[in-house]
Amino acid sequence: MSLPAGNTPLRVGLIGFGAIGRSVATLLPAGAALGVLTRHRPDALPAGAEALADLEALLGWGPDVVIEAASAEAFANAAPACLARGIDVVAASVGALQDSALLERIVATCDKAGSRLVVPAGAVGGLDHIAAAALHPGTTVTYVSRKPPAAWTAELDAMGQTEAASRGEVSLYEGDAREAAARYPRNLNAGLTIALAAGFDRVRVRVVADPGVARNTHEILISGPLGTSTMSFCNTPDPANPKTSAITAYSLVAATLRRFGALQ
Ligand SMILES: NC(=O)c1ccc[n+]([C@@H]2O[C@H](COP(=O)([O-])OP(=O)(O)OC[C@H]3O[C@@H](n4cnc5c(N)ncnc54)[C@H](O)[C@@H]3O)[C@@H](O)[C@H]2O)c1
């Protein structure tokens, strides 16, 4: 996809107007046209933004790019249709791609239509480094999601581990990124993002309830013949939705602008 011709403003379609969607709307460059597919009342939208009632209205509005910031279901429903029309999609709900049939369908659609699904770093970072290191067959990548026990109350109760988690870390899951995202769809977008960068067979995921962390923390450990690296992200929660890192919206907008930039 290239920049819109002449002085035509960039037309950004946005799906979802919750924590991420509202921030995205404020971060877009002045002059961008914004159409929002939302369940909120149109008067909640920023001045000048157009409320779009459904997917057909979004497609008919003619976006240059669509930013999905709604849910895994919304992504699975809307992304293939946008991509089939040649419209790039920048997605937040990448956990939906744990469904390998959906992933295959999206790749085939992009190949046919010449569109691209952009998977931004979201709550983590360093995808370029992960993708480069993972080209070497000896590289392994481990992603560890650490959250305070309060984020896993129901899961710890079901495991009979509530008391143990108040004293030390409790492992909720260890395995591959697909199953982790299938088990915890709202929480494991980052694991899926890393697996898409490195390859699913290369990534191990751990999900940990840890009384030693005050905030949701993401650790990425890369190890192999090319060296070792450790990345750790401790993000500020979005005030509108504490489960979401505030930086996610910034990552979506940065990825969108990069997609249209001369330098990739
Ligand atoms: N990639 C990442 O690193 C990352 C990080 C945080 C959150 N996420 C994902 O981003 C998504 C949005 O997160 P959020 O914090 O903004 O959630 P949120 O609950 O604050 O907002 C989501 C909004 O989307 C709306 N919505 C849901 N389905 C819709 C549909 N079909 N059409 C129109 N609107 C719809 C909801 O009504 C809500 O207003 C979630 O799927 C979340 O898992 C990804």
Side-chain angles (χ1 to χ4, degrees), residues 15-21 37-40 69-72 74 92-94 121-123 185-186 189 193 241 244-245 248:
I15 306 176
F17 201 62
I20 295 176
L37 174 51
T38 175
R39 294 169 170 166
H40 291 270
S71 66
S93 306
V94 288
R186 194 67 187 71
N189 290 297
T193 300
N241 181 357
T244 286
S245 301
T248 308

Side-chain angles (χ1 to χ4, degrees), residues 36-135:
V36 187
L37 174 51
T38 175
R39 294 169 170 166
H40 291 270
R41 287 171 18 179
D43 61 8
L45 299 181
E50 195 159 333
L52 305 167
D54 54 26
L55 180 56
E56 276 315 305
L58 173 70
L59 295 170
W61 185 73
D64 297 308
V65 61
V66 166
I67 300 179
E68 177 282 321
S71 66
E73 293 73 22
F75 170 84
N77 182 42
C82 296
L83 294 164
R85 300 269 189 114
I87 304 164
D88 286 358
V89 175
V90 181
S93 306
V94 288
L97 294 171
Q98 56 82 15
D99 176 347
S100 41
L102 177 63
L103 178 55
E104 277 171 31
R105 185 153 72 96
I106 281 182
V107 170
T109 302
C110 289
D111 283 348
K112 197 169 164 197
S115 49
R116 290 289 173 262
L117 174 67
V118 178
V119 178
V124 294
L127 301 185
D128 53 346
H129 179 77
I130 295 168
L135 285 178

